[in-house]
């Protein structure tokens, strides 16, 4: 996993997803907004989409000179940290984007629904979390579409057209395949590595430092809601300290949905 790479991005169209422009007064959305049609597995043509400037490469830093950053959480294991994370985001009135796998959504539908009910965006982290380098184009499509269907069913909302590669393992071919399915490849500026837990040599202070050291305009911070079997969710404990550090340094936490544009006829 290479958390240090940066993509040079220009010309991002911040069209402003309805209700999230500026993120002043973040508010939960209605969970009943977008129930999926039976058997639907492809991205909805009428929903928000990534601008062309988000396609063709992996996104590891948002192209802006403003002191803003985005908080993101992967969900592939257990739900030990979700209640704590959601409570802290609610207390602070802050947005985040969550990237569950399809298998996670099927195993923990109530947790995925609680994320949607809280108004946070749901991206796509594949169905079974494989290395995409090892898959064919057809197999990659099955992983992405399978996750989309599972997240729709669990959340009762339309997932965002954002895909995060398992293990952050990307190639130009796999990015093209994901783009062709209607998704931007949203990776991260830094992973806190909190998911490793104490047994992996991590603690809260180390997780916070990894995040804070990556603070730059447009940073995307990756965390996890699960414990990976340890029962200790360091990222849930680190979240308030990361937010405090961001505020002290003059950063604003923004919603990735700002970087979407409405489909034709939906503006």
């Amino acid at each position: 996993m290479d958390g240090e790479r940066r993509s040079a991005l220009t010309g991002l169209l911040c069209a402003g997803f309805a209700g999230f422009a500026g993120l002043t007064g973040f508010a939960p959305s209605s969970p009943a907004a977008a129930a999926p049609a039976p058997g639907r597995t492809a991205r909805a043509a009428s929903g928000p989409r990534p601008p062309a400037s988000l396609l063709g490469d992996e996104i590891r830093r948002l192209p802006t000179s403003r002191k803003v950053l985005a908080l993101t959480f992967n969900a592939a294991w257990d739900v030990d940290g979700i209640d704590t994370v959601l409570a802290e985001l609610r207390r602070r009135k802050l947005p985040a984007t969550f990237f569950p796998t399809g298998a996670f959504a099927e195993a923990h539908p109530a947790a995925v629904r609680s994320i949607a009910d809280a108004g946070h965006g749901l991206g796509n982290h594949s169905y079974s979390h494989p290395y995409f380098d090892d898959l064919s184009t057809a197999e990659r499509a099955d992983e992405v579409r399978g996750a989309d269907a599972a997240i729709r069913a669990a959340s009762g909302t339309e997932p965002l057209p954002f895909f995060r590669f398992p293990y952050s393992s990307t190639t130009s071919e796999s990015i093209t395949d994901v783009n062709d399915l209607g998704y931007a490849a949203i990776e991260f500026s830094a992973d806190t590595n909190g998911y490793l837990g104490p047994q992996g040599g991590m603690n809260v202070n180390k997780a916070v430092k990894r995040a804070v050291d990556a603070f730059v305009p447009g940073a995307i911070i990756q965390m996890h809601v699960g414990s990976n079997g340890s029962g200790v969710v360091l990222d849930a404990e680190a979240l308030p300290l990361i937010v405090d550090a961001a505020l002290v340094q003059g950063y604003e936490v923004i919603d990735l949905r700002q970087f979407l544009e409405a489909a034709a006829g939906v503006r």
Side-chain angles (χ1 to χ4, degrees):
M1 185 184 299
D2 180 5
E4 303 305 323
R5 289 178 292 167
R6 300 288 187 269
S7 294
L9 306 171
T10 57
L12 184 62
L13 303 177
C14 282
F17 185 83
F20 291 89
L23 265 286
T24 302
F26 167 75
S29 61
S30 169
R40 190 177 190 179
T41 57
R43 287 221 48 80
S46 61
R49 64 190 181 196
S53 54
L54 283 184
L55 305 178
D57 204 351
E58 58 189 32
I59 308 305
R60 292 188 174 272
R61 177 177 169 184
L62 301 169
T64 178
S65 59
R66 293 174 56 215
K67 293 187 72 172
V68 298
L69 56 84
L71 301 174
T72 68
F73 293 86
N74 292 357
W77 308 304
D78 55 66
V79 298
D80 290 353
I82 283 187
D83 288 346
T84 301
V85 166
L86 290 179
E88 182 65 14
L89 293 172
R90 180 171 58 251
R91 183 177 76 84
R92 305 261 191 163
K93 295 182 173 60
L94 294 177
T97 304
F98 291 76
F99 289 84
T101 65
F104 179 92
E106 289 181 349
H108 305 289
V112 174
R113 184 73 180 216
S114 70
I115 294 169
D117 287 356
H120 302 292
L122 287 162
N124 185 315
H125 197 36
S126 81
Y127 181 82
S128 64
H129 208 274
Y131 279 98
F132 266 49
D133 307 29
D134 300 332
L135 304 182
S136 67
T137 293
E139 289 169 332
R140 291 166 184 160
D142 287 344
E143 281 286 330
V144 175
R145 288 173 174 157
D148 182 85
I151 295 166
R152 287 174 186 271
S155 68
T157 63
E158 182 177 321
L160 300 175
F162 293 150
F163 181 79
R164 175 164 285 167
F165 281 85
Y167 311 104
S168 194
S169 181
T170 67
T171 64
S172 58
E173 292 81 4
S174 62
I175 291 171
T176 295
D177 286 344
V178 166
N179 289 169
D180 287 347
L181 292 167
Y183 293 79
I186 303 296
E187 294 302 314
F188 51 87
S189 306
D191 187 327
T192 63
N193 279 358
Y195 74 94
L196 293 173
Q199 77 277 19
M202 288 300 295
N203 58 41
V204 171
N205 288 338
K206 288 181 180 179
V208 172
K209 185 177 188 304
R210 285 182 61 86
V212 173
D213 285 351
F215 284 178
V216 291
I220 303 171
I221 306 302
Q222 174 172 280
M223 293 170 276
H224 292 73
V225 299
S227 64
N228 199 14
S230 70
V232 177
V233 186
L234 295 180
D235 284 335
E237 299 177 30
L239 176 60
L241 301 176
I242 292 171
V243 172
D244 284 344
L247 296 178
V248 166
Q249 294 189 33
Y251 281 89
E252 176 190 3
V253 175
I254 63 169
D255 196 314
L256 286 178
R257 283 174 285 195
Q258 289 189 30
F259 296 90
L260 288 175
E261 59 185 14
V266 183
R267 291 184 185 278

